[in-house]
Amino acid sequence: SQVKLIDSFDSECWKPVFGVSGNCSGTVLKYGIDNDVKIEGEGSFRLDYSFSGCTGASAGEYVYVQRLFANFRPDLSFHPKHLSLWVKGNPANKGNLRVVLLQGNMAAKGYRRVLKTYQYTDSESVRSDSWTCVEIPYEKFSLLDAQEGTSASPEDPGLDLMNVIGWRIDIVNSDS
């Protein structure tokens, strides 16, 4: 199958945003590039986290890394029929992997405004102590959230691969 690299996940030169979900002040996240633990490229993102057990966040407790594309965006409609991501976890991990595609409107003036988010979740890869290639067919992404004024109805046309303006990778606390 064809492979098209969107991100190598081995550099912070494009200024990824790392963070913790809204109201979970006790959640701890340490992150960086690990040049020793990698499967390809120069390194890999490393997220070390501990959840506080916060139950006040409406979207649950999670840690994340996010990238919004600037004047570069990969039109995913020209890519293979799925995304893939290498993940190395730990059997003691609590949480699920959530890969989120951020959709905007590239024809609008505020094209970097996220209008809809589409998610794919996986519970096994973050608990494996060996590298796992998670392959995600585009049709497996489901609507996570829609901004006011956009369609979030059952008739929603779904993910528009030409208007993906970024991605976010979450580890969601499966106990919250």
Side-chain angles (χ1 to χ4, degrees), residues 7-8 19 25 29 43 45 48-49 51 53 65 72 88 94 105 111 143 175:
D7 266 309
S8 59
S25 60
L29 171 64
F45 279 140
D48 292 317
Y49 59 91
F51 290 126
V65 58
F72 158 80
K88 183 176 183 187
K94 291 188 176 190
N105 180 352
Y111 70 91
L143 185 66
D175 289 341

PDB file of all heavy atoms in Angstrom, residues 7-8 19 25 29 43 45 48-49 51 53 65 72 88 94 105 111 143 175:
ATOM      1  N   ASP A   7       3.332  13.481   9.359  1.00  0.00           N
ATOM      2  CA  ASP A   7       4.172  13.941  10.460  1.00  0.00           C
ATOM      3  C   ASP A   7       5.108  12.824  10.869  1.00  0.00           C
ATOM      4  O   ASP A   7       4.709  11.662  10.892  1.00  0.00           O
ATOM      5  CB  ASP A   7       3.332  14.331  11.683  1.00  0.00           C
ATOM      6  CG  ASP A   7       3.006  15.798  11.715  1.00  0.00           C
ATOM      7  OD1 ASP A   7       3.947  16.606  11.581  1.00  0.00           O
ATOM      8  OD2 ASP A   7       1.828  16.146  11.874  1.00  0.00           O
ATOM      9  N   SER A   8       6.332  13.193  11.218  1.00  0.00           N
ATOM     10  CA  SER A   8       7.287  12.193  11.687  1.00  0.00           C
ATOM     11  C   SER A   8       7.266  12.066  13.202  1.00  0.00           C
ATOM     12  O   SER A   8       7.825  11.128  13.754  1.00  0.00           O
ATOM     13  CB  SER A   8       8.700  12.560  11.223  1.00  0.00           C
ATOM     14  OG  SER A   8       9.049  13.834  11.729  1.00  0.00           O
ATOM     15  N   GLY A  19      -0.968  19.454  26.334  1.00  0.00           N
ATOM     16  CA  GLY A  19      -1.809  19.962  27.397  1.00  0.00           C
ATOM     17  C   GLY A  19      -2.613  18.894  28.112  1.00  0.00           C
ATOM     18  O   GLY A  19      -2.506  17.703  27.844  1.00  0.00           O
ATOM     19  N   SER A  25      -6.961  19.927  37.240  1.00  0.00           N
ATOM     20  CA  SER A  25      -5.717  20.557  37.681  1.00  0.00           C
ATOM     21  C   SER A  25      -4.720  19.573  38.283  1.00  0.00           C
ATOM     22  O   SER A  25      -3.533  19.844  38.305  1.00  0.00           O
ATOM     23  CB  SER A  25      -6.014  21.682  38.680  1.00  0.00           C
ATOM     24  OG  SER A  25      -6.695  21.145  39.803  1.00  0.00           O
ATOM     25  N   LEU A  29       1.432  16.018  33.233  1.00  0.00           N
ATOM     26  CA  LEU A  29       1.936  15.629  31.922  1.00  0.00           C
ATOM     27  C   LEU A  29       3.364  16.104  31.768  1.00  0.00           C
ATOM     28  O   LEU A  29       3.659  17.278  31.970  1.00  0.00           O
ATOM     29  CB  LEU A  29       1.064  16.240  30.814  1.00  0.00           C
ATOM     30  CG  LEU A  29       1.586  16.091  29.376  1.00  0.00           C
ATOM     31  CD1 LEU A  29       1.626  14.618  28.968  1.00  0.00           C
ATOM     32  CD2 LEU A  29       0.731  16.891  28.409  1.00  0.00           C
ATOM     33  N   GLY A  43      13.350  10.205  16.278  1.00  0.00           N
ATOM     34  CA  GLY A  43      12.904  10.020  17.652  1.00  0.00           C
ATOM     35  C   GLY A  43      11.413   9.791  17.679  1.00  0.00           C
ATOM     36  O   GLY A  43      10.796   9.484  16.661  1.00  0.00           O
ATOM     37  N   PHE A  45       7.610  11.103  20.016  1.00  0.00           N
ATOM     38  CA  PHE A  45       7.009  11.839  21.118  1.00  0.00           C
ATOM     39  C   PHE A  45       6.932  10.923  22.318  1.00  0.00           C
ATOM     40  O   PHE A  45       6.603   9.746  22.196  1.00  0.00           O
ATOM     41  CB  PHE A  45       5.575  12.266  20.794  1.00  0.00           C
ATOM     42  CG  PHE A  45       5.465  13.494  19.959  1.00  0.00           C
ATOM     43  CD1 PHE A  45       4.526  13.551  18.964  1.00  0.00           C
ATOM     44  CD2 PHE A  45       6.268  14.592  20.171  1.00  0.00           C
ATOM     45  CE1 PHE A  45       4.390  14.680  18.186  1.00  0.00           C
ATOM     46  CE2 PHE A  45       6.160  15.714  19.408  1.00  0.00           C
ATOM     47  CZ  PHE A  45       5.212  15.765  18.404  1.00  0.00           C
ATOM     48  N   ASP A  48       4.581  11.232  29.314  1.00  0.00           N
ATOM     49  CA  ASP A  48       4.495  10.597  30.629  1.00  0.00           C
ATOM     50  C   ASP A  48       3.411  11.347  31.394  1.00  0.00           C
ATOM     51  O   ASP A  48       3.464  12.569  31.513  1.00  0.00           O
ATOM     52  CB  ASP A  48       5.831  10.699  31.373  1.00  0.00           C
ATOM     53  CG  ASP A  48       6.926   9.868  30.713  1.00  0.00           C
ATOM     54  OD1 ASP A  48       6.637   8.729  30.310  1.00  0.00           O
ATOM     55  OD2 ASP A  48       8.056  10.369  30.594  1.00  0.00           O
ATOM     56  N   TYR A  49       2.435  10.628  31.896  1.00  0.00           N
ATOM     57  CA  TYR A  49       1.288  11.280  32.501  1.00  0.00           C
ATOM     58  C   TYR A  49       0.791  10.498  33.707  1.00  0.00           C
ATOM     59  O   TYR A  49       1.060   9.310  33.850  1.00  0.00           O
ATOM     60  CB  TYR A  49       0.150  11.427  31.481  1.00  0.00           C
ATOM     61  CG  TYR A  49      -0.303  10.100  30.911  1.00  0.00           C
ATOM     62  CD1 TYR A  49      -1.334   9.381  31.505  1.00  0.00           C
ATOM     63  CD2 TYR A  49       0.311   9.557  29.791  1.00  0.00           C
ATOM     64  CE1 TYR A  49      -1.735   8.162  30.990  1.00  0.00           C
ATOM     65  CE2 TYR A  49      -0.085   8.333  29.274  1.00  0.00           C
ATOM     66  CZ  TYR A  49      -1.107   7.645  29.883  1.00  0.00           C
ATOM     67  OH  TYR A  49      -1.503   6.436  29.376  1.00  0.00           O
ATOM     68  N   PHE A  51      -3.042  10.537  35.842  1.00  0.00           N
ATOM     69  CA  PHE A  51      -4.373  11.127  35.949  1.00  0.00           C
ATOM     70  C   PHE A  51      -4.735  11.362  37.407  1.00  0.00           C
ATOM     71  O   PHE A  51      -4.328  10.617  38.294  1.00  0.00           O
ATOM     72  CB  PHE A  51      -5.416  10.209  35.301  1.00  0.00           C
ATOM     73  CG  PHE A  51      -5.308  10.139  33.806  1.00  0.00           C
ATOM     74  CD1 PHE A  51      -5.190   8.924  33.161  1.00  0.00           C
ATOM     75  CD2 PHE A  51      -5.333  11.286  33.035  1.00  0.00           C
ATOM     76  CE1 PHE A  51      -5.104   8.852  31.776  1.00  0.00           C
ATOM     77  CE2 PHE A  51      -5.244  11.228  31.652  1.00  0.00           C
ATOM     78  CZ  PHE A  51      -5.131  10.006  31.021  1.00  0.00           C
ATOM     79  N   GLY A  53      -7.948  11.518  38.440  1.00  0.00           N
ATOM     80  CA  GLY A  53      -9.257  10.953  38.739  1.00  0.00           C
ATOM     81  C   GLY A  53     -10.350  11.998  38.655  1.00  0.00           C
ATOM     82  O   GLY A  53     -11.474  11.780  39.094  1.00  0.00           O
ATOM     83  N   VAL A  65      -1.504  15.995  22.647  1.00  0.00           N
ATOM     84  CA  VAL A  65      -0.581  16.741  21.794  1.00  0.00           C
ATOM     85  C   VAL A  65      -1.384  17.095  20.550  1.00  0.00           C
ATOM     86  O   VAL A  65      -2.151  16.271  20.042  1.00  0.00           O
ATOM     87  CB  VAL A  65       0.704  15.946  21.461  1.00  0.00           C
ATOM     88  CG1 VAL A  65       0.393  14.624  20.784  1.00  0.00           C
ATOM     89  CG2 VAL A  65       1.640  16.783  20.584  1.00  0.00           C
ATOM     90  N   PHE A  72       0.454  25.097   5.280  1.00  0.00           N
ATOM     91  CA  PHE A  72       0.587  23.751   4.725  1.00  0.00           C
ATOM     92  C   PHE A  72      -0.535  22.909   5.301  1.00  0.00           C
ATOM     93  O   PHE A  72      -0.813  22.949   6.481  1.00  0.00           O
ATOM     94  CB  PHE A  72       1.931  23.138   5.147  1.00  0.00           C
ATOM     95  CG  PHE A  72       1.935  21.630   5.085  1.00  0.00           C
ATOM     96  CD1 PHE A  72       2.102  20.980   3.883  1.00  0.00           C
ATOM     97  CD2 PHE A  72       1.745  20.874   6.223  1.00  0.00           C
ATOM     98  CE1 PHE A  72       2.099  19.596   3.823  1.00  0.00           C
ATOM     99  CE2 PHE A  72       1.731  19.484   6.176  1.00  0.00           C
ATOM    100  CZ  PHE A  72       1.915  18.854   4.970  1.00  0.00           C
ATOM    101  N   LYS A  88       3.757   3.015  21.311  1.00  0.00           N
ATOM    102  CA  LYS A  88       4.375   2.114  22.286  1.00  0.00           C
ATOM    103  C   LYS A  88       3.867   2.537  23.649  1.00  0.00           C
ATOM    104  O   LYS A  88       3.984   3.694  24.030  1.00  0.00           O
ATOM    105  CB  LYS A  88       5.894   2.192  22.240  1.00  0.00           C
ATOM    106  CG  LYS A  88       6.543   1.211  23.186  1.00  0.00           C
ATOM    107  CD  LYS A  88       8.044   1.232  23.070  1.00  0.00           C
ATOM    108  CE  LYS A  88       8.614   0.180  24.003  1.00  0.00           C
ATOM    109  NZ  LYS A  88      10.055   0.267  24.059  1.00  0.00           N
ATOM    110  N   LYS A  94      -3.266   3.505  32.252  1.00  0.00           N
ATOM    111  CA  LYS A  94      -4.713   3.670  32.354  1.00  0.00           C
ATOM    112  C   LYS A  94      -5.080   4.685  31.288  1.00  0.00           C
ATOM    113  O   LYS A  94      -4.538   5.765  31.250  1.00  0.00           O
ATOM    114  CB  LYS A  94      -5.109   4.191  33.730  1.00  0.00           C
ATOM    115  CG  LYS A  94      -4.897   3.178  34.815  1.00  0.00           C
ATOM    116  CD  LYS A  94      -5.481   3.648  36.108  1.00  0.00           C
ATOM    117  CE  LYS A  94      -5.325   2.542  37.135  1.00  0.00           C
ATOM    118  NZ  LYS A  94      -6.046   2.808  38.343  1.00  0.00           N
ATOM    119  N   ASN A 105     -12.851  25.008   7.570  1.00  0.00           N
ATOM    120  CA  ASN A 105     -13.350  25.327   6.232  1.00  0.00           C
ATOM    121  C   ASN A 105     -12.244  26.090   5.529  1.00  0.00           C
ATOM    122  O   ASN A 105     -12.054  27.276   5.772  1.00  0.00           O
ATOM    123  CB  ASN A 105     -14.629  26.155   6.312  1.00  0.00           C
ATOM    124  CG  ASN A 105     -15.184  26.505   4.946  1.00  0.00           C
ATOM    125  OD1 ASN A 105     -14.554  26.261   3.918  1.00  0.00           O
ATOM    126  ND2 ASN A 105     -16.376  27.076   4.932  1.00  0.00           N
ATOM    127  N   TYR A 111      -9.972  30.164   8.261  1.00  0.00           N
ATOM    128  CA  TYR A 111      -9.867  28.740   7.929  1.00  0.00           C
ATOM    129  C   TYR A 111      -9.206  27.904   9.011  1.00  0.00           C
ATOM    130  O   TYR A 111      -9.365  26.698   9.022  1.00  0.00           O
ATOM    131  CB  TYR A 111      -9.148  28.539   6.593  1.00  0.00           C
ATOM    132  CG  TYR A 111      -7.668  28.855   6.625  1.00  0.00           C
ATOM    133  CD1 TYR A 111      -6.741  27.865   6.921  1.00  0.00           C
ATOM    134  CD2 TYR A 111      -7.203  30.128   6.355  1.00  0.00           C
ATOM    135  CE1 TYR A 111      -5.395  28.142   6.966  1.00  0.00           C
ATOM    136  CE2 TYR A 111      -5.855  30.411   6.390  1.00  0.00           C
ATOM    137  CZ  TYR A 111      -4.956  29.422   6.691  1.00  0.00           C
ATOM    138  OH  TYR A 111      -3.621  29.695   6.731  1.00  0.00           O
ATOM    139  N   LEU A 143     -18.007  11.515  14.611  1.00  0.00           N
ATOM    140  CA  LEU A 143     -18.116  12.883  15.090  1.00  0.00           C
ATOM    141  C   LEU A 143     -17.932  12.922  16.605  1.00  0.00           C
ATOM    142  O   LEU A 143     -18.609  12.200  17.333  1.00  0.00           O
ATOM    143  CB  LEU A 143     -19.478  13.467  14.705  1.00  0.00           C
ATOM    144  CG  LEU A 143     -19.689  14.937  15.037  1.00  0.00           C
ATOM    145  CD1 LEU A 143     -18.765  15.827  14.206  1.00  0.00           C
ATOM    146  CD2 LEU A 143     -21.140  15.324  14.799  1.00  0.00           C
ATOM    147  N   ASP A 175     -10.916   5.582  33.508  1.00  0.00           N
ATOM    148  CA  ASP A 175     -11.589   5.473  34.802  1.00  0.00           C
ATOM    149  C   ASP A 175     -12.467   6.667  35.121  1.00  0.00           C
ATOM    150  O   ASP A 175     -13.172   6.666  36.116  1.00  0.00           O
ATOM    151  CB  ASP A 175     -10.558   5.314  35.927  1.00  0.00           C
ATOM    152  CG  ASP A 175      -9.881   3.958  35.891  1.00  0.00           C
ATOM    153  OD1 ASP A 175     -10.422   3.032  35.262  1.00  0.00           O
ATOM    154  OD2 ASP A 175      -8.794   3.842  36.476  1.00  0.00           O
TER     155      ASP A 175
END
